[in-house]
Amino acid sequence: MDQWMKKFKDSGVTYAYLILYIAISSGQIFFNKWVLSSKEINFPYPVALTLLHMIFSSVLCFILTKVLKIIKIEEGVTPEIYATSIIPIGAMFAMTLWLGNSAYLYISVAFAQMLKAVMPVAVFILGAAAGLEVLSCRMFLIMSVISFGVIVASYGEVTVSWVGVVYQMGGVVGEALRLIFMEIFVKRKGIRLNSISVMYYVSPCSAFCLFIPWLFLDKPKMDSAGPWNFPPLILFLNCICTFVLNLSVFLVISRTSALTIRVAGVVRDWVVVLLSAALFSDTKLTFINLVGYGIAIAGVVAYNNHKLKKEASGINTSGNTNSRIEVTSNDSHVQLVPPNEAR
């Protein structure tokens, strides 16, 4: 009886973490759109908003790990590894968040989410160019299904802003490059970092990379708008939500598998697409939208399943227990997860 109750309790905690992750990650996307929208908070400065997120994460990670010492940071990141691994990853992470948030100024949340479904295609093409992926009939079919679905979803969009599409696709390319750099620079060096450690190392680098475009792009606009009079409480809560999102990912990964976090990501994507139609006036879903997105998501699920089987077979054949990279579809975090945290 006690064993059954313990198992029931553990399952309840796991499902609670999953629901928390889906709710917070969906809410963060809506929160960012709400802050950036001219019809809501009217803080149309995506670089500044992303820069605030990275500065806040850097400071809070330092306080939690070095001052309060609540969370332990994984060691082993030398200056050479930081220069050749963390900096490229941080730069691409900054690019992903900057361009992704900029897209919200021009296109709806739902359409942006649909365009993100093309991520596996970008990862595969860049991975093949870097010699990390091998073209096969199965992968070609999966990439074709995803691409076809995104094209159908785009065709069904009522109003298309090509500026927003370019921003979003730029963010997709940045995210794909980040994953490639993780594969090349980190996985091959055997670095084992949990998501909190990654935030600790990557956030300051991303903040520096964002500071430069902020000086030339957002700061002049902020100065020309008059005295800075932005809602500090709203921006603070937005930064808190971003950090809590990363923490929820850490909790979910510590209790579930790679497959579970990816399935949760797919559920989150559908929640965002459907709820955005009710929350934002610029979102108008059509039947063609939903059909196209459904086709693309089917391809994404097939891609995730193929990659997981490939990773499992690689581990079984080599008997290797070195570090493993877990990648989710989430918009605002990076994970490099050791085996004992991905079970």
Side-chain angles (χ1 to χ4, degrees), residues 133-211:
E133 297 283 357
V134 178
L135 183 62
S136 64
C137 292
R138 181 184 179 87
M139 287 302 294
F140 179 77
L141 178 61
I142 291 173
M143 297 300 108
S144 299
V145 169
I146 295 173
S147 301
F148 176 73
V150 172
I151 291 173
V152 171
S154 301
Y155 178 78
E157 184 68 8
V158 176
T159 56
V160 177
S161 168
W162 291 108
V163 175
V165 171
V166 169
Y167 270 125
Q168 187 58 64
M169 298 311 294
V172 168
V173 171
E175 176 70 357
L177 286 172
R178 178 181 71 83
L179 301 180
I180 296 300
F181 285 147
M182 287 170 64
E183 179 80 12
I184 294 175
F185 295 127
V186 180
K187 189 175 181 181
R188 291 181 179 178
K189 295 183 180 181
I191 304 300
R192 306 204 321 171
L193 299 177
N194 57 43
S195 57
I196 302 299
S197 298
V198 172
M199 275 200 298
Y200 174 82
Y201 289 115
V202 170
S203 294
C205 176
S206 296
F208 177 78
C209 293
L210 288 165
F211 181 74

Side-chain angles (χ1 to χ4, degrees), residues 22-318:
I22 293 171
I24 294 177
S25 57
S26 303
Q28 182 62 37
I29 293 173
F30 296 143
F31 202 170
N32 286 348
K33 172 70 173 180
W34 187 57
V35 170
L36 293 167
S37 176
S38 59
K39 298 178 181 179
E40 305 294 344
I41 297 301
N42 193 24
F43 186 79
Y45 310 110
V47 185
L49 183 64
T50 310
L51 177 61
L52 279 175
H53 292 167
M54 293 298 100
I55 293 175
F56 185 85
S57 293
S58 301
V59 173
L60 197 54
C61 280
F62 180 81
I63 293 174
L64 292 176
T65 58
K66 299 300 182 181
V67 179
L68 301 179
K69 297 182 179 180
I70 297 175
I71 302 173
K72 182 181 178 181
I73 286 295
E74 304 287 343
E75 303 296 336
V77 178
T78 64
E80 186 269 336
I81 289 177
Y82 194 91
T84 60
S85 302
I86 302 299
I87 290 179
I89 292 172
M92 291 303 101
F93 190 41
M95 173 181 170
T96 300
L97 298 176
W98 163 25
L99 297 180
N101 282 332
S102 297
Y104 291 146
L105 297 175
Y106 303 94
I107 59 178
S108 67
V109 170
F111 188 44
Q113 209 66 26
M114 292 176 187
L115 292 176
K116 288 177 188 177
V118 81
M119 176 69 67
V121 178
V123 173
F124 181 78
I125 292 174
L126 292 174
L132 301 175
E133 297 283 357
V134 178
L135 183 62
S136 64
C137 292
R138 181 184 179 87
M139 287 302 294
F140 179 77
L141 178 61
I142 291 173
M143 297 300 108
S144 299
V145 169
I146 295 173
S147 301
F148 176 73
V150 172
I151 291 173
V152 171
S154 301
Y155 178 78
E157 184 68 8
V158 176
T159 56
V160 177
S161 168
W162 291 108
V163 175
V165 171
V166 169
Y167 270 125
Q168 187 58 64
M169 298 311 294
V172 168
V173 171
E175 176 70 357
L177 286 172
R178 178 181 71 83
L179 301 180
I180 296 300
F181 285 147
M182 287 170 64
E183 179 80 12
I184 294 175
F185 295 127
V186 180
K187 189 175 181 181
R188 291 181 179 178
K189 295 183 180 181
I191 304 300
R192 306 204 321 171
L193 299 177
N194 57 43
S195 57
I196 302 299
S197 298
V198 172
M199 275 200 298
Y200 174 82
Y201 289 115
V202 170
S203 294
C205 176
S206 296
F208 177 78
C209 293
L210 288 165
F211 181 74
I212 298 173
W214 173 76
L215 283 177
F216 294 98
L217 296 177
D218 276 4
K219 187 176 183 298
K221 296 178 183 177
M222 296 167 71
D223 291 337
S224 63
W228 291 11
N229 186 24
F230 308 121
L233 179 60
I234 296 295
L235 296 177
F236 176 75
L237 290 176
N238 187 259
C239 291
I240 283 284
C241 287
T242 301
F243 187 84
V244 172
L245 171 59
N246 284 280
L247 190 59
S248 71
V249 173
F250 176 76
L251 294 174
V252 169
I253 290 178
S254 68
R255 299 187 66 92
T256 62
S257 65
L259 177 61
T260 303
I261 193 70
R262 289 177 181 180
V263 170
V266 171
V267 173
R268 184 281 313 270
D269 292 343
W270 273 108
V271 168
V272 170
V273 168
L274 297 177
L275 276 183
S276 63
L279 295 176
F280 299 104
S281 59
D282 64 346
T283 301
K284 292 179 175 59
L285 294 178
T286 65
F287 179 73
I288 298 177
N289 273 150
L290 296 177
V291 170
Y293 189 53
I295 294 172
I297 287 297
V300 171
V301 171
Y303 172 80
N304 286 338
N305 184 58
H306 176 76
K307 294 294 289 184
L308 286 169
K309 286 182 177 179
K310 185 178 177 181
E311 290 171 6
S313 62
I315 292 173
N316 291 335
T317 55
S318 65

